[in-house]
Amino acid sequence: MLPALLAAAEEQHNPLLPETPDLVWGTIVFVLLLAFFWWKILPSVKKTLDARTEVIEGGIKKAENAQAEASAALDRYNEQLAEARAEAAKIRDQARQDGVRILNELKEQASIEAARITANASVQIEAERQAALVSLRAEVGSLAIDLASGVIGQSLSDDKTAARLVDQFLAELEASEQDASEEKSSK
């Protein structure tokens, strides 16, 4: 049947089927080109693809290393930030303690100064009171002598008599004031 087909094929030339020599030469050229690609082009393509793979894997490794370094840097940064916050809190606490201590010292100094001013004022008031009392005694004594001279009708020019009379009058006046103040406090 094959010879019959060949005979029929020879009789009718099919434009889709090439001639036998064309098939042979086409097959030889195909095999040569396949061998050339297999031994020459394919290894260089494979080498180029391997190089690209290495570059890509190297880039991935570099990216992973950079990511690891960035993570480590972030961890160090967070650690330093935590240390800085702790140190800032410590400084704030120390400042608060210093502020309280300074405030207490200032309050103590102010109370000491107030006590000193109060003591000085008390001393000054007492001195002025004593001066006023002495002045008042002299004035009251002078008035009492003048009044007693008018009542008695005698001149009390003798200093000793006048002084005795003034002292007696003032003693009676003070005694009457004390009695009056005691009566008020007992009511």
Side-chain angles (χ1 to χ4, degrees), residues 58-74 76:
I60 290 172
K61 286 182 182 176
K62 285 180 184 177
E64 287 173 351
N65 288 341
Q67 181 69 28
E69 288 176 9
S71 294
L74 180 62
R76 284 192 308 270

Side-chain angles (χ1 to χ4, degrees), residues 8-176:
E10 285 179 11
E11 289 174 12
Q12 283 183 329
H13 179 62
N14 188 356
L16 295 178
L17 286 178
E19 298 283 329
T20 305
D22 289 337
L23 279 176
V24 170
W25 281 110
T27 304
I28 291 173
V29 170
F30 177 75
V31 168
L32 287 174
L33 283 175
L34 181 66
F36 176 75
F37 273 102
W38 193 267
W39 281 291
K40 290 289 184 185
I41 303 233
L42 189 62
S44 66
V45 168
K46 188 175 180 182
K47 188 188 290 183
T48 303
L49 287 175
D50 288 344
R52 277 188 86 137
T53 302
E54 286 179 19
V55 168
I56 290 171
E57 287 176 355
I60 290 172
K61 286 182 182 176
K62 285 180 184 177
E64 287 173 351
N65 288 341
Q67 181 69 28
E69 288 176 9
S71 294
L74 180 62
D75 291 341
R76 284 192 308 270
Y77 168 75
N78 286 335
E79 183 179 307
Q80 289 173 349
L81 185 62
E83 288 174 5
R85 285 182 178 158
E87 187 174 340
K90 203 181 300 181
I91 290 170
R92 277 193 307 271
D93 290 341
Q94 183 63 37
R96 280 189 194 112
Q97 290 173 356
D98 289 346
V100 167
R101 181 182 47 82
I102 289 170
L103 185 61
N104 288 339
E105 287 175 2
L106 289 175
K107 284 180 181 178
E108 185 178 326
Q109 288 175 356
S111 66
I112 289 171
E113 184 68 17
R116 185 187 62 80
I117 290 172
T118 303
N120 286 345
S122 296
V123 168
Q124 186 176 1
I125 289 171
E126 183 62 31
E128 287 178 3
R129 185 173 124 358
Q130 289 297 330
L133 192 59
V134 167
S135 172
L136 189 60
R137 279 184 186 255
E139 187 80 21
V140 167
S142 170
L143 288 174
I145 290 174
D146 289 344
L147 188 61
S149 295
V151 170
I152 297 175
Q154 297 181 6
S155 172
L156 297 174
S157 57
D158 183 17
D159 286 341
K160 288 183 183 180
T161 308
R164 190 172 23 88
L165 186 62
V166 168
D167 287 339
Q168 182 182 1
F169 175 72
L170 289 176
E172 289 175 3
L173 185 63
E174 285 178 3
S176 68

